[in-house]
Amino acid sequence: METIDPALLLSAYAQGLFPMADGADDPSVHWVEPRQRAILPLDGFRLSRSLRKVLLSDRVRVTTDTAFSDMVALCAEPAPDRPTTWINPIIAASYERLFRLGHAHSVECWQDDRLVGGLYGVSLGRAFFGESMVSRVRDASKVALAHLVARLIAGGWRLLDCQFITPHLESLGAIEMPQADYLARLYSVLSGSDGAGAGVAGAGAGAGAGAVVGGAADSSSLPAPPFAAGDWGALDALGAAEGSATGSPPGYVIAQLLTKTS
């Protein structure tokens, strides 16, 4: 299966671009750089009373990185509210390669043994780029996003990119900004100049961030790898401490963490 070279793909993310296809059957991929960019401030996640109750009920079991390919496939499936998708086979295979390299992650929601929702995205340094999320039962994507935000906070991430604003994301705390402002924030996070510290080598090493894709930015302004890395597994220690068999903390731990930081 044809894929986008991982170094090229990560380089694009480091410059504020991401790939999309016009449809699941489209054999080509194009690079997207929105004029307005959506992010979800990690200290601004809106934990509503109703979502808090859902988290506390643990009626949806949450795991991470256990069914990445299945999650991408579920996001790519047509649904009544989304009859078409931008995820074609090239994109699916490209993110599978990133996952195997440790640069992509998934959060899965289950009822019994059925995958009912979740999300996946790309990790580069202390920036996480949400790619797609899906619900097949009520509130599954909200639960997944709550677990993601808690995981990013625990692991030291500084930026959660949501690409495009939607009413759903806005209700959870996402905001929109001009692409130039987004790039300034992204470069600050990748370089460690936002206060996160740049001394930890990890995700992003060898990503080739200096290779400009499509002329989107002046290469002299791009931070160079290795980037300070977030710790995807930091939250798992809380899950283990609470006796979670999956390593994912129970809902009340997630709600507690989000309440403290919102």
Side-chain angles (χ1 to χ4, degrees):
M1 169 61 65
E2 180 185 355
T3 65
I4 304 169
D5 179 75
L8 177 63
L9 188 49
L10 291 174
S11 175
Y13 277 99
Q15 298 168 69
L17 292 88
F18 52 88
M20 294 185 73
D22 288 333
D25 298 327
D26 182 5
S28 62
V29 172
H30 57 270
W31 298 104
V32 179
E33 184 182 22
R35 291 184 178 180
Q36 295 289 318
R37 197 68 171 243
I39 68 166
L40 203 164
L42 295 176
D43 60 354
F45 183 82
R46 292 177 186 161
L47 182 63
S48 65
R49 288 184 179 180
S50 60
L51 179 54
R52 181 182 176 86
K53 288 181 180 178
V54 174
L55 287 171
L56 295 177
S57 72
D58 283 319
R59 62 179 173 84
V60 175
R61 180 171 61 90
V62 179
T63 60
T64 66
D65 290 351
T66 64
F68 184 86
S69 296
D70 292 338
M71 177 53 60
V72 175
L74 186 65
C75 288
E77 284 181 3
D81 61 337
R82 187 174 60 176
T84 60
T85 178
W86 53 268
I87 303 171
N88 68 0
I90 293 175
I91 287 179
S94 298
Y95 288 104
E96 177 65 33
R97 286 186 71 184
L98 282 190
F99 173 69
R100 293 197 300 267
L101 292 170
H103 282 287
H105 297 284
S106 59
V107 177
E108 306 101 9
C109 295
W110 307 83
Q111 283 189 342
D112 298 322
D113 293 326
R114 179 184 168 222
L115 185 63
V116 295
L119 56 84
Y120 74 95
V122 173
S123 175
L124 183 63
R126 296 190 183 188
F128 190 89
F129 308 86
E131 278 299 308
S132 187
M133 64 181 184
V134 63
S135 280
R136 289 293 182 262
V137 299
R138 185 175 180 179
D139 296 324
S141 64
K142 291 182 181 180
V143 169
L145 189 59
H147 274 257
L148 174 66
V149 171
R151 186 166 291 273
L152 298 183
I153 291 170
W157 267 264
R158 309 291 292 180
L159 176 66
L160 173 53
D161 169 45
C162 301
Q163 297 181 347
F164 300 107
I165 197 74
T166 66
H168 178 59
L169 287 171
E170 195 169 20
S171 72
L172 295 167
I175 60 174
E176 196 174 39
M177 64 179 59
Q179 177 75 352
D181 293 345
Y182 168 79
L183 288 176
R185 183 171 299 200
L186 173 63
Y187 293 173
S188 177
V189 168
L190 293 180
S191 67
S193 61
D194 68 329
V200 182
V212 178
V213 176
D218 178 357
S219 61
S220 64
S221 69
L222 296 172
F227 303 130
D231 181 1
W232 183 258
L235 191 67
D236 295 333
L238 294 176
E242 296 297 331
S244 171
T246 64
S248 185
Y252 78 85
V253 174
I254 301 300
Q256 227 173 26
L257 184 57
L258 293 178
T259 299
K260 289 178 181 178
T261 56
S262 60

